Amino acid sequence: MKLRFSRFKTLVNRTILYSLIGTVWRVLMSPVTLILVATRFSPAELGVYYVFFSIAGIQSIFEAGFSHTIVQSISHEMSKVQFKEKKLEGDEVGLENIRQAMRLGFSWFTGLSIIFIIIVIPLGFLIIGNKAQEYENIQWQIPWLIFSLIFALNIILYPVNYFFEGILQLQRIYKIRLVTQILSSIVFITLLYLGAGLYIASINAAVSLIVNFSVLFLPHFSVFKDHLAKLPKKTYFKKVYKWQLKISIVWSTGYLYWQLPTLILFSWLGPVMSGQYSMTANIANAICNIGQVFMRTKSAIIGNLRSSGHFYEAFKEYRKNSLMSYGIITIGIGAFVALWYILPHFVLWQRMMPFLPSILLIGAFAINQITLNQAMFARCSKEEPYFYQSLAINLGFPVVLLIFMYFMPNYWGIVLPFIIVHILSVISSCFIFKRKFNIAF
């Protein structure tokens, strides 16, 4: 037992090292990127840039949470299976479950890529073109088409990443993600500085596609070749269906919360205020994502510990790393406030909402991390106690936002819905978590 947890500890430490290096890189590069975006794009062009990603996010509706299902389905078998010399070995039942999970992944995400091309690309032309009179001089059509096609190709390789994460090759995955992140930011900054305009929206997806194809997929083609054109068995799909159904509904409706606000504000307030909101939300997510490094790297490991019956060890991992994530987020918000006061005329602030609405929106996003961490721990246990809460938030938030937009079509109409919904959400999530998991502590 000690040997096993020692192996986990070494794995976690190396994984966190790569994640922390990536975090430092983001901290160093984010100001450069944000300043260039703020100065190289006009306010209207900034709004179009962010709406690209909101429209592309529609794929999450069809993704239906199968990413989480594939990772957890594979990681739950790794107590009986080993990956050696580019081959899986061990218990035949475990191997078969992993094979079926991979077939489910490739068939589902290939279909998702086709749906993206058929539905999302034309929808983007319709949504953005509807506001064309507000940015007549912006060339967005070809950048949108290129961005969408690269994004669609990238979707097909998603299961490759999920496979390596599921078999607990976390060191390899996070090392590759670090390299991808560094390359993406260098190319992104260079091309943005050279005046590439909206074409830079495609950079991250393009670099990710090239790296994943050349480093993960091709060298391990023998592992994947038998699963590329095969559907999973009906018995396997039925086995995961009941568990997957709740995740699918929550994941699909999550688009209404995470991405739809940008489209609502783009249509209601125009590209300028929509761009200001998106820039502020982007900074809020950047701060929160830095804190989330500690939790993201533990998902597969917590799932493996739970499947092995080590609930206490899994809970300690969750508790320790969630507290670390909250501490980092708090420091990040403090640094942001200090920077705004020290440099009140910094060009970045001109592309964001005013100070008070901005800091309140960032605070609301930070509060929501409590709910996200608790839900992550639950889902690592193949459980979904947050189903009804998530459904209520995902379906109710757009309605609340539209009501506030009707009476307050300004910055406060944007911020107040987030504050109200997140406070109610964290109260409810803490009650659910204590009742579900904390009884024995």
Side-chain angles (χ1 to χ4, degrees):
M1 182 64 67
K2 289 183 178 179
L3 180 62
R4 173 177 178 165
F5 286 116
S6 176
R7 181 173 66 86
F8 270 127
K9 185 175 180 180
T10 301
L11 174 66
V12 171
N13 288 341
R14 290 178 180 176
T15 303
I16 289 180
L17 176 62
Y18 289 123
S19 298
L20 289 178
I21 293 173
T23 299
V24 172
W25 181 263
R26 281 197 299 271
V27 170
L28 295 175
M29 291 297 107
S30 289
V32 179
T33 302
L34 291 171
I35 291 170
L36 281 175
V37 167
T39 55
R40 294 284 172 169
F41 286 160
S42 67
E45 196 172 17
L46 187 66
V48 176
Y49 170 76
Y50 282 120
V51 89
F52 273 18
F53 297 96
S54 293
I55 297 172
I58 292 174
Q59 62 88 21
S60 63
I61 296 176
F62 303 102
E63 181 181 339
F66 274 94
S67 56
H68 181 82
T69 298
I70 294 166
V71 170
Q72 292 301 322
S73 294
I74 295 174
S75 70
H76 278 236
E77 305 298 335
M78 292 310 294
S79 59
K80 301 171 286 185
V81 175
Q82 292 181 323
F83 186 70
K84 294 182 178 179
E85 299 180 354
K86 299 183 180 181
K87 291 182 180 180
L88 286 169
E89 302 174 350
D91 178 72
E92 183 56 36
V93 174
L95 291 171
E96 178 62 17
N97 286 335
I98 292 175
R99 285 193 287 267
Q100 295 305 315
M102 289 307 300
R103 291 175 185 178
L104 173 63
F106 279 116
S107 59
W108 190 270
F109 284 94
T110 299
L112 176 58
S113 178
I114 295 171
I115 291 173
F116 188 92
I117 292 172
I118 295 174
I119 296 178
V120 178
I121 293 179
L123 185 62
F125 280 103
L126 180 65
I127 292 174
I128 303 174
N130 189 47
K131 287 281 184 179
Q133 70 279 2
E134 298 191 28
Y135 43 86
E136 295 178 356
N137 297 324
I138 298 177
Q139 300 298 318
W140 60 269
Q141 293 88 345
I142 296 178
W144 165 248
L145 182 61
I146 293 173
F147 167 78
S148 301
L149 290 175
I150 294 175
F151 195 94
L153 288 174
N154 211 23
I155 290 173
I156 299 175
L157 292 183
Y158 283 4
V160 176
N161 263 268
Y162 303 149
F163 169 78
F164 284 102
E165 189 172 348
I167 65 172
L168 303 180
Q169 294 280 309
L170 300 180
Q171 181 183 345
R172 181 201 300 256
I173 284 293
Y174 279 90
K175 184 178 181 180
I176 291 172
R177 289 177 184 174
L178 173 61
V179 172
T180 302
Q181 180 181 330
I182 293 174
L183 288 176
S184 297
S185 59
I186 291 174
V187 176
F188 183 94
I189 290 172
T190 302
L191 292 181
L192 186 58
Y193 180 78
L194 293 175
L198 290 172
Y199 288 99
I200 55 98
S202 306
I203 297 302
N204 289 339
V207 173
S208 178
L209 176 64
I210 293 170
V211 172
N212 286 331
F213 184 78
S214 60
V215 178
L216 288 180
F217 181 72
L218 281 183
H220 300 88
F221 182 72
S222 59
V223 177
F224 305 117
K225 64 180 181 180
D226 293 332
H227 313 311
L228 293 174
K230 293 184 180 180
L231 296 174
K233 293 180 180 179
K234 290 183 179 179
T235 52
Y236 176 81
F237 190 82
K238 288 180 179 178
K239 183 170 69 173
V240 301
Y241 175 76
K242 185 176 180 181
W243 168 45
Q244 174 64 35
L245 181 60
K246 287 186 176 181
I247 294 177
S248 296
I249 295 173
V250 170
W251 200 285
S252 298
T253 57
Y255 176 83
L256 303 177
Y257 171 80
W258 290 107
Q259 300 290 348
L260 189 60
T262 299
L263 298 183
I264 291 175
L265 299 178
F266 185 83
S267 300
W268 201 293
L269 302 177
V272 175
M273 288 190 69
S274 171
Q276 291 175 326
Y277 155 76
S278 297
M279 177 65 83
T280 307
N282 189 49
I283 291 175
N285 280 321
I287 293 172
C288 292
N289 285 338
I290 292 173
Q292 278 291 303
V293 164
F294 297 94
M295 287 301 298
R296 281 198 305 268
T297 56
K298 303 303 181 301
S299 176
I301 290 175
I302 290 175
N304 185 276
L305 289 171
R306 287 299 310 274
S307 69
S308 304
H310 302 294
F311 177 84
Y312 183 68
E313 288 78 5
F315 186 82
K316 283 201 302 183
E317 282 291 323
Y318 154 77
R319 183 169 54 187
K320 176 182 69 177
N321 289 284
S322 61
L323 289 175
M324 291 177 71
S325 73
Y326 303 146
I328 293 296
I329 291 170
T330 302
I331 293 172
I333 295 175
F336 174 81
V337 172
L339 185 62
W340 196 311
Y341 271 102
I342 294 170
L343 301 172
H345 304 296
F346 191 40
V347 64
L348 185 59
W349 316 144
Q350 300 171 19
R351 293 292 187 266
M352 295 175 59
M353 297 188 299
F355 174 76
L356 187 56
S358 290
I359 197 63
L360 289 175
L361 183 67
I362 294 172
F365 274 59
I367 291 173
N368 195 46
Q369 296 307 304
I370 298 173
T371 301
L372 295 180
N373 285 347
Q374 291 174 345
M376 181 186 296
F377 179 81
R379 288 165 187 160
C380 287
S381 312
K382 288 191 175 182
E383 298 174 2
E384 187 50 84
Y386 291 91
F387 174 68
Y388 293 109
Q389 174 180 311
S390 299
L391 200 60
I393 292 172
N394 293 341
L395 295 177
F397 181 77
V399 176
V400 175
L401 180 62
L402 285 170
I403 292 173
F404 273 85
M405 279 292 98
Y406 181 80
F407 291 102
M408 303 172 65
N410 52 39
Y411 298 116
W412 294 110
I414 299 172
V415 172
L416 289 177
F418 281 100
I419 294 174
I420 293 170
V421 170
H422 284 179
I423 290 176
L424 294 176
S425 172
V426 77
I427 293 172
S428 174
S429 67
C430 288
F431 173 78
I432 293 171
F433 193 81
K434 184 175 180 61
R435 185 183 62 182
K436 181 68 180 179
F437 296 113
N438 217 25
I439 296 175
F441 298 92

